[in-house]
Amino acid sequence: MDDGITDESRSPASRAPRRSQRRRILIALGLNAALIVGLVVAGILADSISVLAAAGDTVADCLALVLGLIAIALRDRDPDHPHAQRPIAIAALVNAALLLIMTIIVVVEAVTRLVAGPPPVEGLPMVIVSVITMLVMLAGAFVLGRSAADEDLHMRSVLLDSLADAATAGAVAVAGLVILITGGLFWLDPVLALVVAAVIAVAAVQLVVKAIAALRGENVDFDDD
C-alpha cells in the first residue's frame, strides 16, 4: 500500500472530507451521549441486563468517538506523513478493546443471572427505551452516511458500531415486548444479552486483528474490507 501522497490529497478539496469526518463524528457523539442517562435509568428501573449492556456499549462508543476525533486531528496535522494513518489504527484498536471489555462484563452478569435464576424484568421500559435507542442509532448511521464504509478504518468502525447498536436495540425491544405480553420469560433478557455480547465480540476481534496489522506496518487496505 502506498503512502497515499498525491497532488489531489494536498488540494483544498481533499480537506473537505476530513472536515466532514470531524463534523459527522461530533454529531454521532452528541447522539450517543444523549442516550446514556436514559439507558442507565431505564435499565435500573426495568432491572434489565440487556438495557444496561446497551448503556455500557454507548459509553464505550462515546469514548471511542472522542479518541477518533483526537486521532483525526493528529492525522490531519501532517497527512502526507508515511504513518499518518497510525493514529486512526490506534483509535480503532482502543475502540475494539473497550467493546471487548464491555462484552466480558455483560457475559459475566448474564451468566450469573441465568445460573441464579433471572429476576423479574419490566418489559415496558425495555420496549420504550430500546425503540428510542434504535431510532437514534439509525439517525447516527444516516449522519455518518454510506461513504463512511469506504473511508478509513476508524470511520468504518464508527458506522458499524451505530448499525450494530441499532440492531441490538431492535432485538431488545422485541424481547421486552415478549416479556410485556407474556408477563414472564424473563430468561430472554440475559440470553439476549449473551447474543448481543457475542455479536459485538466478533466485530471487535476482527477490528483488533486489522488494527494490529496496520500498526505492525503490514499492508492493510483501509478502503476495502
Side-chain angles (χ1 to χ4, degrees), residues 49-186:
I49 181 62
S50 57
V51 173
L52 290 174
D57 183 39
T58 304
V59 172
D61 287 347
C62 286
L63 293 175
L65 290 170
V66 171
L67 289 172
L69 287 171
I70 296 173
I72 289 172
L74 291 174
R75 178 200 64 189
D76 292 348
R77 287 176 59 186
D78 189 6
D80 294 338
H81 193 278
H83 300 300
Q85 291 293 338
R86 183 162 292 179
I88 299 296
I90 293 174
L93 182 60
V94 173
N95 185 4
L98 289 170
L99 290 175
L100 286 174
I101 292 172
M102 187 54 55
T103 296
I104 293 172
I105 295 173
V106 170
V107 168
V108 170
E109 178 62 24
V111 170
T112 300
R113 290 193 174 203
L114 284 173
V115 171
V121 177
E122 295 293 333
L124 185 57
M126 287 180 64
V127 173
I128 294 174
V129 75
S130 297
V131 170
I132 293 174
T133 300
M134 181 177 65
L135 293 176
V136 170
M137 290 298 99
L138 288 175
F142 178 79
V143 169
L144 292 170
R146 292 182 61 184
S147 62
D150 299 320
E151 296 178 43
D152 57 51
L153 183 61
H154 179 66
M155 288 301 293
R156 186 181 304 145
S157 74
V158 172
L159 177 61
L160 290 175
D161 276 349
S162 296
L163 293 175
D165 289 346
T168 298
V172 173
V174 171
L177 185 61
V178 171
I179 291 173
L180 179 63
I181 293 173
T182 63
L185 300 180
F186 300 128

Side-chain angles (χ1 to χ4, degrees), residues 193-213:
L194 289 174
V195 173
V196 170
V199 172
I200 294 174
V202 170
V205 168
Q206 291 175 341
L207 192 58
V208 166
V209 170
K210 181 168 285 190
I212 290 177

